[in-house]
Amino acid sequence: MPVITCVEDLRLLAKKRVPKAFYDYADSGSYTESTYRANSDDLAAIKLRQRVAINVDQRNTRTTMVGQEVAMPVAIAPTGLTGMQWANGEMLGAIAAEKFGIPFTLSTMSICSIEDVASVTSKPFWFQLYVMRDRGFVKEMIQRAKACKCSALVLTLDLQILGQRHKDLKNGMSVPPRLTLANIIDLATKPGWALRALSGRKTFGNLVGHVKGGDGILTLSQWTASQFDPTLNWDDVAWIKKEWGGKLILKGILDVEDAKLAVTAGADAIVVSNHGGRQLDGAMSSIEALPMIVDAVGHQTEVWFDGGIRTGQDILKATALGAKGSMIGRAFLYGLGAMGEKGVTTMLEILQKELDVSMALTGTKDIREVNLSNIIRK
């Protein structure tokens, strides 16, 4: 096992161990990928303010997100096809998150079902919902989330139409999926992944039994592609909030006007996010949008950050700009693809250690005291 020092080490290991089609699915943006790159580049441009001769003994990274105590201001973001990075990946990720003390969010488009994840966890997790044309399915998923005692519903608002990801088309990750000669050759070089996959879940777990015509990945992927609803509007958000009745987190907010509407709709938290650069290519980075949204609505609801986090320093920067929490997607998938549950735990330990050390070197003892004085913006 190589020495793992940072999230980038996990990414490189995942790239070796996960079939190219699934690795690229996780690690790509739409069209030119300019927004995908901007998420990381704009974070890197923010500098931390070094302070010295300040007592920083007994530091604390613990805080709360929508009233839930967390070991650090981080939640695992919902990611589709997670179980294709490592067999039964959603269950393993949920177990690792629970042990570490941060929230785990299960995607509607997961390989393991909501019931699968509930069967291996002892504490409530979060469920992410996509609004489909079939409102019966939406209502059914809300009821299943309630039955599994999920403590928050994350409603993703920025995927009503799919942005094109060139790598997916070239790799056969299309609708319907296309098995290519390159894919077959690549799979032959990943025997460990293939062996694990034999015993793991192999289709969209939350959709099984709902779609007429079969439960295979082909049938379900075709149904899903026809179901993303371009008519999604704030009336739908109000309906979902009423059906759910619990903590509601709205993800995909990048504009001040939308942030204000989200508050009016009763969001308990909003996530400043551009879907990891996978949707509107040419949109601003999440970290660029964060301060203006915090200024506009941060006194009315919790504002969280999502997009480009690879280090604990990134978490510190987002917190300094007003984020009450951050969601991590790709860093989670890198850890999972590299070493399964152990990789997720390693990733979280790395981020917390980097956050803790960076707090100390900026003269900060408590994550709840981090503010604009901790950074230098050009």
Side-chain angles (χ1 to χ4, degrees), residues 66-125:
V66 289
Q68 180 174 334
E69 289 194 9
V70 292
M72 59 178 171
V74 165
I76 300 294
T79 55
L81 294 176
T82 302
M84 292 302 184
Q85 302 296 319
W86 191 282
N88 298 332
E90 291 91 356
M91 289 189 280
L92 299 179
I95 291 169
E98 181 177 298
K99 289 179 180 177
F100 196 86
I102 66 165
F104 175 84
T105 315
L106 182 70
S107 170
T108 295
M109 303 312 299
S110 58
I111 299 301
C112 299
S113 71
I114 189 170
E115 291 81 11
D116 286 333
V117 173
S119 73
V120 296
T121 53
S122 59
K123 296 179 181 178
F125 56 97

Side-chain angles (χ1 to χ4, degrees), residues 20 22-23 80 82 111 180 200 235 243 254 258-259 261 280 299 301 306 315 320 346 358 370:
K20 185 176 187 300
F22 297 125
Y23 173 83
T82 302
I111 299 301
T180 67
D235 289 338
E243 288 288 329
L254 208 65
D258 288 339
L261 290 168
L280 178 60
H299 60 293
T301 192
D306 168 78
I315 298 168
T346 299
S358 300
V370 171

Side-chain angles (χ1 to χ4, degrees), residues 174-201:
S174 55
V175 179
R178 180 170 49 87
L179 186 63
T180 67
L181 178 60
N183 289 345
I184 296 171
I185 294 172
D186 182 56
L187 282 172
T189 68
K190 309 289 192 302
W193 181 93
L195 187 62
R196 288 188 297 271
L198 290 175
S199 60
R201 307 293 195 273

Side-chain angles (χ1 to χ4, degrees), residues 36 109 121 127 166 177 184 242 252 254 373:
Y36 168 46
M109 303 312 299
T121 53
F127 182 70
H166 299 335
I184 296 171
K242 183 179 179 181
L254 208 65
S373 69

